[in-house]
């Protein structure tokens, strides 16, 4: 007999939650609500996906670095940033859009 | 995997993994969660439950509840109690009282290993104890209120107002600004007064009959005035704010006055004031008047017959007497230096260890930061380059609490905090940084912050709300209630509460390693297993603080027993602890997600390793949220399971668990499986009136 309670696949959503669907403004946008019961009798306890605190913290730190862009030229539409980080994600034009780490002054 | 009703096989609802920890809901949670546990380790080996070591009481000879602890370099530990007792806990955990502070303890303590001194805040002063390991070993000196009142040397108090510059930049009233130590006595100061002003018997609220000043320190302790000739009358100093509210009036009888000297009008209570407020000379924030019952005395002045140039000294208490009674401490390294930081009501005080004998006000900065006026610091910790300062707003009426708090972040280099996060949910109690995540407790829940814009509500600790409680909830968590033990966050909760539903104890949060989830559970109760306040004759139940030193955790407690005697103690959990004397576990409620349908419970089995001596284990089940039905037998030594028949077993909801005790046991009981057998009765009509079940 299978026992759903022991299955760990339900923890898998963490990665997608971390990178795409958890924001500090809107919260856990991808959280999976329990579907309504099917009427079939279950042989375990219903469980909800595990969302780790570490995932949220990592996402927060990535999207809200404590050090703001340090040099913004007055009157310019784009500031200057010196990026000191271990990983960046650039858009098609090469502009860093996503930074894992801190922006150096 | 769902089963159809046609499946005639009995269901086995099986708990074999436990890493989910305690769920906040009785029916759903993360995988392998359960509803309740006490005294059980479900993390170290997540596929089993084992009985945790229990707390044991090592001392009951205290006179108050320890709220802060430190350890010296030799391994001796010290604690300060909320009543002002200062205790030494030797390396055998023998507790002895070594000193009594001048007032209640303030949940702060700091050991400076270089100077070998312990700094001990009380309500308005800071005492010193040492040297604790060197100097005169075994006989440290207790210097009560070593850091007490001191006088302002700021221009706003010492210098006359200069109309040309618009600042207090005129002549000095005395030589206090040239003294290279702190001024704690008028005898240190020499007056510059060469003129006099003749006192009257009454004063008028005008610019020539008040002596105006702009203080840099508060709360006021006294004002010392240089009396040229005391005359024959009794003198009264009346202190006003800028709109002439009387803040204090203090009289010294003529016999106690001294001519040609400073005479100190001590207010007898702290006078709260604004510091470093904008001032414009004679419309400054504060002023005082002097009168005599006989108009024949003179006060020393800089200018002839100019009362505004009176020579005086303003003394202030070292610390603000707070409503919460706390002055938490922390050591903080910053780019501008290293400080002992002390929460000082709405301020952060810093001390650079510049002069333990008598520091200048610049060394002991009472108001290094000014936080929200009305707030009081309720915890200090550090996170990355920031000192994290938790503040609350505390009412003096326990059943009319504020709901207001904040976290301030300061890098030590700026005149104001670098940034702030308002905590409108309530007071952020027990702030503690673990794995560079700053945790704190607000309104029955655990919160965390680690660099984001928001604080994260981690989970419920004790309650989401207090609806239907039938009493006013006042739950306080002292500053030093969170600690870490074996890579887990330990949460002493609560310190005090009026909520009879909250179980006192040490709760744990964390994970054994990254593959397993963070989980939560009730790990350690007090050794006496008293868990609820205002229950069973127990009142004033309190956990003062929780500290962990490697393998030894201290839980400091007090309560008033049914006979009205208040008892104080220190519990320890360490490698010599025996298994918890009581432990229990309870499953989630099972309804098969078909709560409408009747099922039948048939058997309930708990599987364990060879049952050790010294234990009892009593399985139970609960049908439809009714009364627990307990097994009448307990395993014998060497047994590997216990089986319980469920009868009568018809239910729509069923829950199961066990309670256990230990006495004289030395090794943990290890439980490896908990299984309830269910008969789904697929041929029975599902939807029936409950009364037909």
């Amino acid at each position: 007999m299978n026992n759903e309670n022991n299955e760990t696949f339900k923890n898998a959503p963490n990665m997608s939650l971390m990178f795409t669907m958890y924001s500090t403004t809107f919260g856990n946008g991808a959280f999976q609500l329990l579907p309504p019961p099917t009427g079939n009798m279950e042989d375990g306890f219903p469980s909800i996906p595990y969302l780790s605190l570490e995932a949220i913290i990592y996402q927060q730190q990535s999207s809200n670095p404590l050090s703001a862009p340090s040099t913004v030229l007055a009157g310019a539409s784009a500031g200057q940033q010196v990026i000191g980080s271990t990983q960046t994600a650039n858009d098609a034009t090469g502009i860093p859009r996503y930074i894992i780490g801190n922006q150096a002054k | 995997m769902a089963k159809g009703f046609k499946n005639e096989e009995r269901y086995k609802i099986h708990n074999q993994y436990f890493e989910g920890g305690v769920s906040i809901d009785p029916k759903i949670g993360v995988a392998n969660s359960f509803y309740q546990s006490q005294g059980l380790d479900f993390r170290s080996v997540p596929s089993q439950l084992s009985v945790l070591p229990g707390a044991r009481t090592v001392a009951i000879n205290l006179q108050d509840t320890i709220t802060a602890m430190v350890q010296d370099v030799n391994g001796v530990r010290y604690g300060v109690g909320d009543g002002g007792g200062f205790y030494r806990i030797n390396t055998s955990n023998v507790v002895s009282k070594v000193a009594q502070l001048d007032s209640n303890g303030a949940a702060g303590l700091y050991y400076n290993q270089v100077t070998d001194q312990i700094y001990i805040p009380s309500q308005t002063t800071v005492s010193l104890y040492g040297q604790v390991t060197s100097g005169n070993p075994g006989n440290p000196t207790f210097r009560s209120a070593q850091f007490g009142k001191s006088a302002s040397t700021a221009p706003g108090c010492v210098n006359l107002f200069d109309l040309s510059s618009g600042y207090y930049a005129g002549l000095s009233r005395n030589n206090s600004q040239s003294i290279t130590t702190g001024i704690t006595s008028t005898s240190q100061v020499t007056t510059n007064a060469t003129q006099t002003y003749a006192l009257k018997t009454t004063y008028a609220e005008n610019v020539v009959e008040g002596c105006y000043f702009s203080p840099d320190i508060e709360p006021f302790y006294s004002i010392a005035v240089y009396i040229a000739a005391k005359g024959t009358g009794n003198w009264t100093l009346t202190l006003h704010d800028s709109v002439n509210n009387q803040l204090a009036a203090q009289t010294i009888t003529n016999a106690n006055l001294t001519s040609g000297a400073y005479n100190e009008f001590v207010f007898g209570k702290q006078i709260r004031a604004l510091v470093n407020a904008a001032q414009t000379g004679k419309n400054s924030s504060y002023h005082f008047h002097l009168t005599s019952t006989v108009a024949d005395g003179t006060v020393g002045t800089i200018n002839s017959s100019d009362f505004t140039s009176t020579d005086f000294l303003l003394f202030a208490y070292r610390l603000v007497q707070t409503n919460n009674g706390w002055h938490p401490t922390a050591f903080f390294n910053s780019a501008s230096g290293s400080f002992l930081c002390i929460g000082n009501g709405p301020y952060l005080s810093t001390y650079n260890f510049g002069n333990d004998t008598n520091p200048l006000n610049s060394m002991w900065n009472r108001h290094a930061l000014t936080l929200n006026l009305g707030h009081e610091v309720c915890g200090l910790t550090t996170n990355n380059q920031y000192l994290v300062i938790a503040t609350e707003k505390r009412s003096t009426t326990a059943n009319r609490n504020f709901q207001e708090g904040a976290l301030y972040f300061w890098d030590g280099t700026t005149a104001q905090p670098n940034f702030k996060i308002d905590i409108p949910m309530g007071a952020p109690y027990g702030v503690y940084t673990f794995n560079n995540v700053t945790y704190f407790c607000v309104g029955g829940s655990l919160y965390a912050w680690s660099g984001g814009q928001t604080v994260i509500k981690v989970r419920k600790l004790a309650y989401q709300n207090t609806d239907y409680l039938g009493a006013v909830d006042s739950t306080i968590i002292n500053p030093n209630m969170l600690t870490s033990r074996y890579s887990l966050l330990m949460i002493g909760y609560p310190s005090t509460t009026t909520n009879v539903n909250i179980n006192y104890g040490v709760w744990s949060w964390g994970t054994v390693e990254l593959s397993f989830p963070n989980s939560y559970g009730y790990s350690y109760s007090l050794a006496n297993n008293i868990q609820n306040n205002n229950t069973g004759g127990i009142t004033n139940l309190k956990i003062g603080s929780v500290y962990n030193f490697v393998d030894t955790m201290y839980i400091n407690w007090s309560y008033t027993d049914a006979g009205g005697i208040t008892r104080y103690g220190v519990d320890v959990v360490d490698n010599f602890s025996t298994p918890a004397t009581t432990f229990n576990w309870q499953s989630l409620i099972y309804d098969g997600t078909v709560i409408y349908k009747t099922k039948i419970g048939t058997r309930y089995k708990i599987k364990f390793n060879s049952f050790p001596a010294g234990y009892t284990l009593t399985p139970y089940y609960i049908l439809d949220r009714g009364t627990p039905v307990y097994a009448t037998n307990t395993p014998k030594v060497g047994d590997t399971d216990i089986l319980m028949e469920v009868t009568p077993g018809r239910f729509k909801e069923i829950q199961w668990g066990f309670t256990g005790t230990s006495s004289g046991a030395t090794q943990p009981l290890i439980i490896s499986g908990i299984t309830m057998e269910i008969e789904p009765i697929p041929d029975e009509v599902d939807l029936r009136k409950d009364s037909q079940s």
Side-chain angles (χ1 to χ4, degrees):
Chain A
M1 180 178 291
N2 194 358
N3 190 332
E4 199 165 328
N5 193 35
N6 293 338
E7 294 177 357
T8 56
F9 67 89
K10 291 187 174 183
N11 296 332
N14 272 307
M15 290 303 288
S16 59
L17 289 172
M18 179 167 63
F19 284 112
T20 64
M21 290 305 293
Y22 189 90
S23 80
T24 53
T25 305
F26 300 108
N28 187 359
F31 200 79
Q32 296 177 353
L33 296 176
L34 283 177
T38 61
N40 291 330
M41 187 165 158
E42 304 283 346
D43 61 355
F45 299 100
S47 61
I48 56 175
Y50 172 68
L51 176 60
S52 74
L53 177 63
E54 288 80 359
I56 299 174
I57 288 171
Y58 186 67
Q59 196 272 352
Q60 282 198 340
Q61 291 182 342
S62 298
S63 60
N64 299 287
L66 281 177
S67 302
S70 56
T71 305
V72 178
L73 298 179
S77 59
Q80 291 182 352
Q81 298 182 17
V82 179
I83 307 301
S85 63
T86 55
Q87 299 177 48
T88 58
N90 297 349
D91 66 13
T93 64
I95 297 174
R97 295 297 188 189
Y98 195 84
I99 301 153
I100 301 171
N102 292 315
Q103 300 174 69
K105 295 185 177 180
Chain B
M1 187 67 70
K3 299 294 181 186
F5 290 169
K6 297 299 182 185
N7 190 330
E8 295 183 359
E9 184 182 359
R10 287 179 175 172
Y11 288 24
K12 282 82 175 177
I13 315 305
H14 186 45
N15 297 95
Q16 185 168 320
Y17 307 134
F18 303 96
E19 76 274 13
V22 170
S23 174
I24 63 166
D25 185 274
K27 283 192 176 180
I28 59 174
V30 299
N32 301 316
S33 57
F34 43 87
Y35 189 55
Q36 176 187 316
S37 77
Q38 176 188 333
L40 293 172
D41 182 0
F42 48 86
R43 295 189 189 88
S44 298
V45 183
S47 61
Q48 67 183 33
L49 298 172
S50 63
V51 178
L52 284 166
R56 71 179 192 280
T57 300
V58 296
I60 55 171
N61 60 331
L62 293 85
Q63 297 170 348
D64 52 359
T65 316
I66 290 177
T67 54
M69 293 180 70
V70 292
Q71 174 179 312
D72 71 22
V73 70
N74 286 350
V76 174
R77 291 157 187 160
Y78 298 86
V80 64
D82 55 4
F86 182 62
Y87 301 93
R88 182 178 191 269
I89 305 169
N90 73 9
T91 53
S92 300
N93 281 330
V94 175
V95 179
S96 56
K97 183 174 180 179
V98 294
Q100 175 67 38
L101 302 179
D102 62 336
S103 58
N104 286 344
L109 211 54
Y110 177 71
Y111 170 58
N112 184 326
Q113 190 164 319
V114 174
T115 62
D116 205 25
Q117 302 277 353
I118 299 175
Y119 297 77
I120 320 163
S122 53
Q123 293 302 294
T124 60
T125 67
V126 177
S127 298
L128 204 57
Y129 185 74
Q131 297 168 293
V132 292
T133 66
S134 55
N136 186 5
N139 191 25
T141 301
F142 177 67
R143 296 175 172 87
S144 180
Q146 175 74 5
F147 306 98
K149 68 168 183 175
S150 71
S152 169
T153 58
C157 290
V158 177
N159 295 93
L160 303 186
F161 189 75
D162 180 11
L163 283 172
S164 61
S165 68
Y167 294 104
Y168 282 96
L171 295 172
S172 298
R173 303 171 201 265
N174 48 57
N175 73 335
S176 60
Q177 290 168 330
S178 62
I179 297 173
T180 55
T181 63
I183 298 169
T184 57
S185 169
T186 57
S187 63
Q188 298 171 253
V189 181
T190 301
T191 185
N192 290 342
T194 56
Q195 305 295 321
T196 61
Y197 172 85
L199 259 59
K200 302 176 182 177
T201 56
T202 60
Y203 62 83
E205 290 295 354
N206 58 47
V207 294
V208 298
E209 295 190 25
C211 184
Y212 295 80
F213 62 97
S214 181
D216 65 321
I217 54 175
E218 70 114 2
F220 301 161
Y221 171 86
S222 65
I223 291 178
V225 178
Y226 188 82
I227 294 179
K230 68 177 185 178
T232 59
N234 302 329
W235 286 37
T236 297
L237 183 146
T238 305
L239 179 65
H240 283 175
D241 65 12
S242 61
V243 291
N244 298 324
N245 292 314
Q246 180 174 305
L247 305 181
Q250 195 66 34
T251 299
I252 302 178
T253 59
N254 189 266
N256 291 310
L257 293 171
T258 304
S259 297
Y262 287 101
N263 289 256
E264 192 169 358
F265 292 81
V266 180
F267 300 125
K269 63 174 185 178
Q270 66 176 8
I271 307 298
R272 299 301 310 278
L274 296 170
V275 293
N276 300 320
Q279 46 75 25
T280 54
K282 292 175 179 175
N283 289 316
S284 184
S285 40
Y286 299 94
H287 65 271
F288 64 84
H289 304 277
L290 270 178
T291 55
S292 173
T293 53
V294 182
D296 58 356
T298 56
V299 64
T301 61
I302 304 301
N303 303 321
S304 178
S305 299
D306 175 8
F307 186 67
T308 66
S309 68
T310 297
D311 181 16
F312 73 94
L313 293 164
L314 172 70
F315 286 90
Y317 289 92
R318 189 70 56 164
L319 297 172
V320 176
Q321 170 73 61
T322 55
N323 293 335
N324 65 16
W326 296 335
H327 295 298
T329 55
F331 183 79
F332 182 50
N333 292 105
S334 77
S336 61
S338 299
F339 311 113
L340 168 62
C341 295
I342 301 179
N344 184 20
Y347 310 104
L348 180 79
S349 293
T350 58
Y351 174 48
N352 66 2
F353 302 101
N355 185 339
D356 276 353
T357 300
N358 200 350
L360 293 167
N361 290 339
S362 58
M363 297 174 178
W364 190 294
N365 189 345
R366 289 172 171 83
H367 316 299
L369 292 180
T370 298
L371 312 171
N372 275 23
L373 296 177
H375 279 212
E376 296 177 346
V377 176
C378 59
L380 294 177
T381 187
T382 54
N383 188 307
N384 278 353
Q385 72 270 40
Y386 294 113
L387 178 74
V388 184
I389 308 160
T391 65
E392 64 165 327
K393 201 164 186 179
R394 178 71 74 91
S395 167
T396 56
T397 304
N399 62 359
R400 300 291 284 181
N401 290 326
F402 287 102
Q403 182 187 307
E404 189 173 327
L407 295 179
Y408 292 88
F409 299 82
W410 184 51
D411 66 6
T413 65
T414 56
Q416 290 297 319
N418 297 80
F419 64 98
K420 168 192 177 189
I421 299 175
D422 277 322
I423 309 293
M425 303 82 81
Y429 283 138
V431 62
Y432 178 76
T433 299
F434 171 63
N435 197 21
N436 214 32
V437 178
T438 298
Y439 291 90
F440 53 97
C441 308
V442 183
S445 294
L446 178 67
Y447 284 77
W449 180 87
S450 184
Q453 295 288 344
T454 59
V455 296
I456 302 164
K457 185 177 183 180
V458 177
R459 63 156 292 140
K460 176 189 87 169
L461 288 174
Y463 56 88
Q464 301 280 15
N465 58 61
T466 52
D467 293 344
Y468 309 114
L469 180 63
V472 175
D473 173 65
S474 180
T475 301
I476 307 293
I477 293 88
N478 286 357
N480 302 305
M481 292 290 282
L482 275 62
T483 186
S484 57
R485 176 176 172 80
Y486 297 147
S487 299
L488 297 173
L489 178 67
M490 294 288 150
I491 307 162
Y493 191 93
S495 287
T496 60
T497 186
T498 54
N499 187 336
V500 296
N501 298 325
I502 298 178
N503 290 344
Y504 283 66
V506 179
W507 307 72
S508 58
W509 164 260
T511 180
V512 64
E513 53 107 356
L514 53 81
S515 297
F516 289 97
N518 289 308
S519 57
Y520 179 70
Y522 182 47
S523 294
Y524 303 97
S525 63
L526 300 179
N528 54 29
N529 204 32
I530 296 173
Q531 295 187 21
N532 300 95
N533 196 20
N534 299 330
T535 303
I538 301 297
T539 56
N540 302 318
L541 183 57
K542 182 188 301 182
I543 299 179
S545 57
V546 178
Y547 278 86
N548 195 74
F549 300 88
V550 192
D551 54 19
T552 304
M553 183 168 67
Y554 292 82
I555 311 169
N556 302 296
W557 52 264
S558 63
Y559 67 90
T560 303
D561 66 17
I565 299 172
T566 300
R567 301 183 184 279
Y568 305 93
V570 177
D571 284 0
V572 160
V573 180
D574 62 12
N575 294 350
F576 306 97
S577 297
T578 54
T581 54
T582 61
F583 55 91
N584 59 64
W585 180 91
Q586 192 173 44
S587 74
L588 298 176
I589 294 174
Y590 172 80
D591 64 10
T593 68
V594 284
I595 189 173
Y596 51 84
K597 176 176 169 49
T598 298
K599 287 80 68 176
I600 296 176
T602 56
R603 293 181 189 85
Y604 171 34
K605 175 173 175 171
I606 302 176
K607 184 80 177 68
F608 36 78
N609 295 358
S610 179
F611 199 73
Y615 282 95
T616 67
L617 182 71
T618 306
Y620 68 86
Y621 61 86
I622 301 170
L623 301 180
D624 295 329
R625 309 198 187 206
T627 304
V629 179
Y630 291 94
T632 55
N633 58 329
T634 189
K636 298 188 295 295
V637 174
D639 285 355
T640 56
D641 69 354
I642 183 169
L643 189 69
M644 180 183 187
E645 299 288 336
V646 179
T647 177
R650 293 177 68 84
F651 71 89
K652 292 186 172 59
E653 294 178 326
I654 188 171
Q655 194 172 19
W656 53 92
F658 59 80
T659 63
T661 64
S662 79
S663 176
T666 56
Q667 295 299 314
L669 167 65
I670 296 174
I671 295 167
S672 51
I674 302 169
T675 311
M676 177 63 73
E677 186 179 68
I678 305 292
E679 167 58 60
I681 49 175
D683 298 328
E684 192 167 289
V685 174
D686 289 345
L687 300 181
R688 306 166 67 193
K689 279 285 289 179
D690 282 0
S691 57
Q692 296 175 314
S693 297

